[in-house]
Amino acid sequence: MTTHLMNTYARQPVAFVRGEGAYLWDESGKRYLDAVAGVAVNGLGHAHPKLVKAICEQAAALIHSSNLYRIPQQEELAERLCALSGMDRAFFCNSGCEANEAAIKLARLYGHGKGIEVPTIIVMEKSFHGRTMATLTASGSRKIQAGFEPLLSGFARVPFNDIEAIRQVGEHNKSVVAVLVEVVQGEGGINVLAAEFLVELRRICDAHGWLLMLDEVQTGIGRTGAWFGFQHSGVAPDVMALAKGLGSGVPIGACLARGEAAEVFKPGSHGSTFGGNPLACATALATLDAIEEENLLENARLRGEAIRSGLRQALASVPGVVEIRGEGMMIGIELDRPCAELVAVARDAGVLINVTSDTVIRLVPPLIYGEAEVNALVAAVSGMVKSYLQQAA
Ligand SMILES: *Cc1c(COP(=O)(O)O)cnc(C)c1O
């Protein structure tokens, strides 16, 4: 019964009771191949033995103590994330929107520190940064904003991948302090930021003294086949938001900063009761360990490429398929028509997929896929796309 839950989700009529690796089982015992991974969260798949062990051991020792005290697991996680990313400091929170909220607050404080009274952050069309008031304002979707006005001021929006538009804003708006962008737009339809764009954006940010802030909530922690999406371009951000894959489902988010940006927050600037507690940090550390030990970055790169090339082969001459794109285990299949109903078709066939931005099938499988899962996913998805396009035509 859902009558006592607020009506915030259009939920599918299925509940899962168990998971193992890349598979989930529902209440009736039916098995599903998971290509959603809890919306790009369960990078290690389900019930990963080392992760489960780390969670149990930490829960038995200490779940929470608060940020009134030192938290060794938090210190270790900050050190690990900084070593992997080249960033200098981390702030821990509990979700993606909170990680972006921290980035937005950091950018505003940085701006005020430079004497800019109304600091402005450049954001992108079709972006998604979360559902808090600041992050829904930053998001480029009217659907997410409608009804929640007044929105915040201090944001300027430009088209995705349009470097000239950013240059224009920079010329006319002297209050810009930062640019916030996803390396691959997830909710927006698996739109990949051009590597040249990021290189040029870094140059512009340096020239103006703006912070380059990357929302890697979905792309971070191996999802694109590198630890962080920006590492494909060789361009380093000043601020980076993480969440989804970081805790493998135990809620944790992080805002990392480098250089001058890392020194902006002072005691009292920002905080969180739960943020970076021993349980969440131990889980994140175990997640990083497993990604390293099992070579999951390379696996994500190779399996993701195999899924894309398999889909391209199977759907090569099929009218209605606009594009197959993505990076690592972030895969988009854009059709020329809305295709939300494919989610139920796939589910009935025992495959969990997602549709975003109306016309884009989004596949964000666990990073642990093997060849069997790749082949099963390609066969199932290409088959149902073909028959869907034929029947709708
Ligand atoms: C999911 C997501 C968020 C929001 O994360 P929550 O944990 O739901 O607050 C923000 N940015 C991006 C890019 C995301 O994919």
Side-chain angles (χ1 to χ4, degrees):
M1 287 288 280
T2 59
T3 46
H4 293 290
L5 291 173
M6 283 203 194
N7 200 14
T8 46
Y9 304 103
R11 294 179 199 270
Q12 297 173 48
V14 62
F16 301 108
V17 294
R18 188 169 76 80
E20 196 183 314
Y23 298 91
L24 283 168
W25 283 264
D26 72 13
E27 292 163 310
S28 74
K30 177 176 168 179
R31 188 181 86 149
Y32 300 80
L33 174 62
D34 188 2
V36 174
V39 195
V41 166
N42 304 112
L44 305 182
H46 303 280
H48 189 286
K50 282 197 175 164
L51 185 82
V52 172
K53 184 165 176 281
I55 292 171
C56 291
E57 285 177 2
Q58 187 57 54
L62 182 67
I63 293 174
H64 178 82
S65 58
S66 95
N67 287 301
L68 296 172
Y69 313 106
R70 280 189 50 217
I71 301 173
Q73 296 85 350
Q74 195 183 109
E75 293 167 11
E76 188 185 342
L77 180 59
E79 189 184 329
R80 284 281 290 279
L81 289 173
C82 287
L84 293 172
S85 65
M87 306 300 276
D88 292 322
R89 289 182 190 271
F91 169 84
F92 291 103
C93 50
N94 315 287
S95 65
C97 61
E98 281 178 79
N100 285 320
E101 191 81 27
I104 291 165
K105 285 181 71 176
L106 190 156
R108 286 184 166 196
L109 201 55
Y110 167 81
H112 285 295
K114 296 204 301 179
I116 295 170
E117 277 174 28
V118 187
T120 298
I121 299 170
I122 297 179
V123 291
M124 307 296 141
E125 288 176 6
K126 293 192 190 170
S127 62
F128 180 73
H129 300 298
R131 302 285 197 149
T132 62
M133 281 311 306
T135 56
L136 75 83
T137 301
S139 296
S141 159
R142 271 308 291 159
K143 232 158 92 179
I144 284 170
Q145 299 170 340
F148 298 108
E149 297 81 3
L151 303 180
L152 273 65
S153 55
F155 293 94
R157 195 170 307 284
V158 299
F160 191 68
N161 261 335
D162 185 345
I163 202 73
E164 199 43 47
I166 291 184
R167 240 185 236 116
Q168 291 281 324
V169 176
E171 265 175 42
H172 300 292
N173 189 336
K174 296 299 164 202
S175 63
V176 173
V177 294
V179 179
L180 176 63
V181 60
E182 293 155 271
V183 179
V184 181
Q185 289 185 328
E187 308 303 306
I190 313 291
N191 307 311
V192 183
L193 198 65
E196 316 86 73
F197 176 95
L198 210 48
V199 171
E200 192 54 22
L201 182 58
R202 179 69 272 177
R203 216 190 52 72
I204 294 174
C205 286
D206 287 340
H208 288 88
W210 301 346
L211 300 178
L212 173 53
M213 309 204 297
L214 298 181
D215 179 351
E216 293 237 21
V217 167
Q218 190 159 156
T219 49
I221 315 297
R223 176 55 50 193
T224 69
W227 278 110
F228 309 100
F230 76 79
Q231 290 170 328
H232 295 291
S233 73
V235 165
D238 300 297
V239 177
M240 170 167 69
L242 298 174
K244 289 195 165 81
L246 180 57
S248 299
V250 171
I252 182 170
C255 176
L256 275 63
R258 189 172 62 88
E260 201 184 335
E263 310 304 325
V264 169
F265 282 152
K266 298 281 187 290
S269 298
H270 195 43
S272 165
T273 299
F274 295 133
N277 80 13
L279 182 69
C281 290
T283 311
L285 284 166
T287 300
L288 301 181
D289 285 342
I291 290 174
E292 250 161 30
E293 285 163 17
E294 293 165 33
N295 219 356
L296 293 182
L297 300 184
E298 189 186 8
N299 197 61
R301 204 157 56 235
L302 297 178
R303 302 299 181 199
E305 199 44 55
I307 293 170
R308 270 187 300 280
S309 68
L311 288 169
R312 280 186 189 124
Q313 239 166 15
L315 297 171
S317 53
V318 177
V321 177
V322 175
E323 192 183 22
I324 294 158
R325 57 178 179 251
E327 184 98 64
M329 285 298 229
M330 244 180 130
I331 298 140
I333 309 162
E334 183 176 348
L335 305 186
D336 66 355
R337 65 203 72 174
C339 55
E341 60 200 83
L342 276 174
V343 170
V345 175
R347 193 177 64 244
D348 289 344
V351 181
L352 302 176
I353 64 167
N354 173 253
V355 168
T356 186
S357 223
D358 289 338
T359 56
V360 182
I361 300 166
R362 170 171 54 169
L363 307 174
V364 281
L367 311 182
I368 54 155
Y369 260 35
E371 200 180 341
E373 285 77 31
V374 168
N375 293 338
L377 183 66
V378 167
V381 171
S382 61
M384 63 189 74
V385 165
K386 269 189 224 166
S387 49
Y388 178 70
L389 289 171
Q390 275 161 12
Q391 122 212 331

